[in-house]
């Protein structure tokens, strides 16, 4: 089907503006170093679509957590999921995973200092004590492995210098925002340094429970990190690090968008309000430890070892109806732990580079929830006079081992060839249980209910099985780049990746018996053409790419009401294939020695080719991809002026995200495009000891929906933050 691209006015206007003449100064655009190919390189040398932000850029843009990166990166969705403040929904170029259910794998990999974070719970990390953040777009299966078929986000912390330092940063703002970060380091000896950082982030709710007064959309997060770095010799560097995050924010409840089928309801006055009968209790705990050792064997050879363990624990409440009745309530818990080990060998020759390694992952994820369905008192009052509860619980164990190599060879002074490959072997074993209980709340969550819980024994077992499966996958990469001159490089690549197969923890074997067999991996194969350029005496950085992705064996969740079981039957099947194509443009222009302009534009065209449901291809009914607006854009001006012996940086931006589909199929939750206006002023003292920043976000106070639930005639929406203004300051002692 032929489609016409319609550019948003922001994109067209900024393209025209950036085509005007510029005034040039002696200084140029700062060089950015990235590790997208697991070795340090200039951003402009890497034949990969990657965006990077250093600490100053993060401060000037008011970036407080990973979700603030979304507007600065083309074709990228990074946002808070529906129920908590710290669960991440991530999509890049149309590929990701919006369901944080245990056992499901993400489509975008999150990494902290090269340690893979397997679960989305707790992945909305606050940005503090950070050196840079990198966003890699497109499949990264060769170097980063499974579950990076959309891309990867790398959170890179600072290395210690050994200097004795103490930094205090505080912030106040809208909705009683109260932030505090304390970070410091010191040298224990000539070969040992220790550092730490503690961050508390709090604000009151944007809304409330209209019945109880409990806050909604509040924030209460405490996190910390400590590291010990050793340099026993010039050839050996060792880091032992530990981190922990505790999110005690209230569970987030959605806004009831339409009357319930047995309404009418009186909608709250604000989209941030709700009337849920469920308690607001919520807890998300995450912690981890890592040991990294980097040994320089010779001038050309080095060996790195990365050993890590992580664990998480979540207890939360989800209300599908957001009313003061238990029509459709879901108390839930998740637990996970992981151990990873990577050995990486790097070789640098005169005209060649090799990065190779082996990777081991061992993980356990478990959880359970009740679908408390008091709606059956209305639907089938004679059959279920006490209501109905469906309990779902289970666990999955994963063992994965991989070997990879990425070889770059300079054919001559202009041409470079890249060949890479990774073989991964995944083993999974799972146990799944699903049963109906007469009444409200199963024995698993009986303590959550102040009434009489359901009977201890189920009235019907729908799913009860254990199974295991193994998958092997090879992910190759081939690329070539050509250095046109000192200012520009073009590249072409073919890269692949896959998202692991698994077992559906919600699967209803009584209706869909094939669920016990699990589902296979899904794959993405991407062709990409790009250009990296620094033009006009280093005054303009212009990076652009076009891509085409074949997305096959898509893991599609099929969930329908089942008259046979009087509940919701679910299964994940490999039912889909699609094509994704698009373009990305990033331009940074140093117009004068004080004025910079930044423009980001992304276009993604998604097209379902086949989605099989019940033996019928329903691709035409599915519309666009979820969480993947066709167009994203950012126009930004940055002006620096000398003030009081330091620099005052003024920053203003307008960002646009096109219409977005929340689920795989169209629904009432789908949103129109939204344009947000942000502005800020940041002062850096001349001696580098202190800084202050005033940041305003969503200054037009736009109301926009970014998530929701749509089930059993119940439609509840979740919304982005309203207008906020914050003043932060930091001082280095």
């Amino acid at each position: 089907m032929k489609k016409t691209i319609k550019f948003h006015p922001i994109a067209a206007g900024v393209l025209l503006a950036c085509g005007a003449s510029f005034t040039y100064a002696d200084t140029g655009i700062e060089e950015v170093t990235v590790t997208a190919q697991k070795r340090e390189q200039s951003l402009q040398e890497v034949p990969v679509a990657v965006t990077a932000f250093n600490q100053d850029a993060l401060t000037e843009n008011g970036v407080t957590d990973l979700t603030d990166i979304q507007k600065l990166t083309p074709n990228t969705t990074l946002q808070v999921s529906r129920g908590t403040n710290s669960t991440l929904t991530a999509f890049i170029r149309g590929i990701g995973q919006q369901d944080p259910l245990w056992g499901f794998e993400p489509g975008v990999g999150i990494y902290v200092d090269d340690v893979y974070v397997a679960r989305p719970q707790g992945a909305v990390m606050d940005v503090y004590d950070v050196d840079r953040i990198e966003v890699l777009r497109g499949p990264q299966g060769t170097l980063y492995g499974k579950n990076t078929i959309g891309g990867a986000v790398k959170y890179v912390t600072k290395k210690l210098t050994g200097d004795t330092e103490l930094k205090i940063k505080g912030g106040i703002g809208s909705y009683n925002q109260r932030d505090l970060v304390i970070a410091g380091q010191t040298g224990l000896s000539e070969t040992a340094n220790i550092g730490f950082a503690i961050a508390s982030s709090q604000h009151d709710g944007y809304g409330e429970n209209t019945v109880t007064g409990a806050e909604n959309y509040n924030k209460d997060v405490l996190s910390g990190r400590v590291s010990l770095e050793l340099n026993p010799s010039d050839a050996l560097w060792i880091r032992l690090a530990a981190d922990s995050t505790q999110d005690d924010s209230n569970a987030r409840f959605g806004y009831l968008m339409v009357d319930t089928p047995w309404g009418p309801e009186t909608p709250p006055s604000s989209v941030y309000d709700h009337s849920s009968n469920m308690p607001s209790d919520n807890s998300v705990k995450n912690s981890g430890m890592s040991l990294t050792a980097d040994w320089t064997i010779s001038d050309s050879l080095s060996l790195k070892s990365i050993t890590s363990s992580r664990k998480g624990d979540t207890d939360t409440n989800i209300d599908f109806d957001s009313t003061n009745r238990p029509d459709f309530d879901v108390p839930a818990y998740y637990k996970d732990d992981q151990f990873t080990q990577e050995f990486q060998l790097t070789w640098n020759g005169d005209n060649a580079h090799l990065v190779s390694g082996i990777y081991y992952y061992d993980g356990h994820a478990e959880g359970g929830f009740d679908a408390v369905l008091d709606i059956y008192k209305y639907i089938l009052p004679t059959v279920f006079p006490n209501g109905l509860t469906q309990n779902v619980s289970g666990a999955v164990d994963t063992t994965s081992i991989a070997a990879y190599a990425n070889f770059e060879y300079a054919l001559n002074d202009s041409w470079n060839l890249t060949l890479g490959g990774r073989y991964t072997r995944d083993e999974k074993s799972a146990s799944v249980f699903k049963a109906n209980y007469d009444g409200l709340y199963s024995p698993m969550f009986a303590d959550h209910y102040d009434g009489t819980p359901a009977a201890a024994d189920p009235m019907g077992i729908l799913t009860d099985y254990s199974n295991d499966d193994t998958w092997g996958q090879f992910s190759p990469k081939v690329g070539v780049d050509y250095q046109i001159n000192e200012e520009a490089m073009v590249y072409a690549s073919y890269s692949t990746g896959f998202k692991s197969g698994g077992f559906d923890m919600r699967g209803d074997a009584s209706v869909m018996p094939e669920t016990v067999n699990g589902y296979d991996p899904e794959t993405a194969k991407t062709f990409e053409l790009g250009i990296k350029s620094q033009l006009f005496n280093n005054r303009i950085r212009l990076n652009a790419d076009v891509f085409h992705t074949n997305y096959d064996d898509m893991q599609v969740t099929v969930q329908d009401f089942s008259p046979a079981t009087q509940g919701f039957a679910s299964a994940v099947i490999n039912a889909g294939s699609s094509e994704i194509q698009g373009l990305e443009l990033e331009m940074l222009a140093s117009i004068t020695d004080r004025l910079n302009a930044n423009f980001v534009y992304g276009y993604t065209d998604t097209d379902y080719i086949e989605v099989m449901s019940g033996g019928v291809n329903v691709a035409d009914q599915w519309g666009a991809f979820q969480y993947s607006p066709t167009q994203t854009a950012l126009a930004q001006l940055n002006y620096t002026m000398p003030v009081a012996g330091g620099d005052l940086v003024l920053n203003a931006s307008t960002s646009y995200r096109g219409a977005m589909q929340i689920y795989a199929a169209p629904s009432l939750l789908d949103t129109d495009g939204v344009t947000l206006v942000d502005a800020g002023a940041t002062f850096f003292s001349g001696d580098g000891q202190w800084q202050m920043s005033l940041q305003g976000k969503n200054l037009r106070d736009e109301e926009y929906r970014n998530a929701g639930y749509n089930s059993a005639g119940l439609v509840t929406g979740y919304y982005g933050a309203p207008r906020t203004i914050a003043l932060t300051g930091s001082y280095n002692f």
Side-chain angles (χ1 to χ4, degrees), residues 545-727:
D545 62 81
V546 294
F547 61 89
H548 178 92
T549 299
N550 292 317
Y551 188 19
D552 296 321
D553 296 323
M554 296 169 58
Q555 297 164 2
V556 176
T557 299
V558 179
Q559 191 168 22
D560 295 304
F561 178 79
S562 169
T565 63
Q566 298 300 322
F568 295 94
S570 173
V572 177
I573 57 177
N574 296 97
S577 63
S578 64
E579 292 182 349
I580 309 170
Q581 56 191 355
L583 62 89
E584 294 157 344
L585 174 66
E586 297 176 283
M587 183 173 69
L588 177 62
S590 180
I591 301 174
T592 72
D593 58 348
R594 296 184 181 180
L595 180 63
N596 289 339
N598 184 28
F599 173 65
V600 177
Y601 177 75
Y603 172 78
T604 304
D605 175 23
T606 60
D607 189 12
Y608 286 106
I609 304 301
E610 181 181 76
V611 180
M612 301 303 296
S613 178
V616 178
N617 185 3
V618 297
D620 291 341
Q621 303 173 22
W622 277 42
F625 279 24
Q626 57 187 342
Y627 287 101
S628 302
T630 301
Q631 296 187 83
T632 61
L634 170 77
Q636 185 177 62
L637 289 175
N638 182 299
Y639 185 76
T640 303
M641 65 177 71
V643 173
D647 289 322
L648 178 64
V649 181
L650 305 177
N651 186 299
S653 67
T654 299
S655 60
Y656 171 77
R657 293 180 66 79
M660 187 171 67
Q661 194 167 295
I662 301 299
Y663 284 101
S667 72
L668 293 174
L669 291 170
D670 298 343
T671 68
D672 296 327
V674 60
T675 300
L676 302 179
V677 176
D678 302 333
T682 303
F683 177 76
F684 299 92
S685 67
D687 58 9
Q689 278 196 296
W690 64 280
Q691 65 184 47
M692 293 194 69
S693 184
L694 179 66
Q695 298 289 334
K697 298 180 182 179
N698 190 10
L699 291 176
R700 299 196 305 168
D701 203 19
E702 291 287 327
E703 184 180 287
Y704 63 101
R705 186 168 56 256
N706 56 17
Y709 293 105
N710 182 16
S711 186
L714 303 169
V715 184
T716 53
Y718 292 76
Y719 292 79
R723 177 174 52 235
T724 59
I725 298 174
L727 176 66

Side-chain angles (χ1 to χ4, degrees), residues 314-628:
T314 297
D315 287 285
T316 192
N317 291 298
I318 304 168
D319 193 339
F320 279 71
D321 58 273
S322 285
T323 65
N324 194 28
R325 305 185 301 269
D327 290 347
F328 194 168
D329 295 353
V330 179
Y333 86 92
Y334 310 100
K335 286 186 178 182
D336 63 89
D337 59 75
Q338 66 176 71
F339 171 82
T340 62
Q341 173 64 58
E342 181 172 5
F343 293 106
Q344 183 184 116
L345 185 68
T346 301
W347 173 77
N348 295 309
D350 293 335
N351 58 352
H353 304 279
L354 173 68
V355 177
S356 60
I358 57 174
Y359 178 82
Y360 174 79
Y361 171 91
D362 181 66
H364 172 83
E366 67 175 78
F369 66 83
D370 273 357
V372 181
L373 301 165
D374 203 34
I375 53 176
Y376 283 103
K377 290 182 179 179
Y378 312 107
I379 299 174
L380 295 170
T382 59
V383 180
F384 298 107
N386 302 315
L388 173 71
T389 295
Q390 282 194 342
N391 174 259
V392 175
S393 60
V396 58
D397 292 303
T398 303
T399 301
S400 180
I401 189 166
Y404 65 89
N406 193 74
F407 180 69
E408 301 168 71
Y409 180 71
L411 301 173
N412 53 42
D413 291 341
S414 300
W415 288 93
N416 293 283
L417 175 67
T418 300
L419 297 174
R422 186 186 191 106
Y423 181 77
T424 303
R425 181 179 174 84
D426 262 7
E427 296 181 4
K428 285 194 176 185
S429 60
S431 59
V432 182
F433 178 82
K434 184 174 186 178
N436 284 342
Y437 290 82
D438 182 18
L440 305 184
Y441 287 82
S442 74
M444 178 177 287
F445 293 96
D447 60 343
H448 287 56
Y449 186 48
D450 57 8
T452 302
D457 296 323
M459 60 186 297
I461 296 177
L462 309 177
T463 306
D464 187 8
Y465 76 89
S466 296
N467 202 356
D468 59 78
D469 207 344
T470 301
W471 303 274
Q473 195 84 22
F474 179 66
S475 301
K477 178 176 181 177
V478 179
V480 62
D481 61 87
Y482 175 70
Q483 195 72 39
I484 301 173
N485 50 40
E486 293 183 355
E487 295 183 328
M489 178 263 284
V490 294
Y491 68 90
S493 66
Y494 169 77
S495 58
T496 61
F498 77 100
K499 187 165 74 174
S500 179
F503 297 89
D504 181 13
M505 296 293 112
R506 295 193 194 96
D508 191 328
S510 68
V511 177
M512 301 177 181
E514 64 272 18
T515 188
V516 303
N517 299 321
Y519 52 88
D520 291 329
E522 61 181 23
T523 61
K525 303 171 183 176
T526 294
F527 296 89
E528 183 173 313
L529 298 173
I531 182 171
K532 300 281 186 83
S533 61
Q534 300 261 128
L535 308 173
F536 300 103
N537 194 28
N538 200 31
R539 305 304 304 175
I540 296 178
R541 175 183 295 151
L542 177 61
N543 295 341
D545 62 81
V546 294
F547 61 89
H548 178 92
T549 299
N550 292 317
Y551 188 19
D552 296 321
D553 296 323
M554 296 169 58
Q555 297 164 2
V556 176
T557 299
V558 179
Q559 191 168 22
D560 295 304
F561 178 79
S562 169
T565 63
Q566 298 300 322
F568 295 94
S570 173
V572 177
I573 57 177
N574 296 97
S577 63
S578 64
E579 292 182 349
I580 309 170
Q581 56 191 355
L583 62 89
E584 294 157 344
L585 174 66
E586 297 176 283
M587 183 173 69
L588 177 62
S590 180
I591 301 174
T592 72
D593 58 348
R594 296 184 181 180
L595 180 63
N596 289 339
N598 184 28
F599 173 65
V600 177
Y601 177 75
Y603 172 78
T604 304
D605 175 23
T606 60
D607 189 12
Y608 286 106
I609 304 301
E610 181 181 76
V611 180
M612 301 303 296
S613 178
V616 178
N617 185 3
V618 297
D620 291 341
Q621 303 173 22
W622 277 42
F625 279 24
Q626 57 187 342
Y627 287 101
S628 302

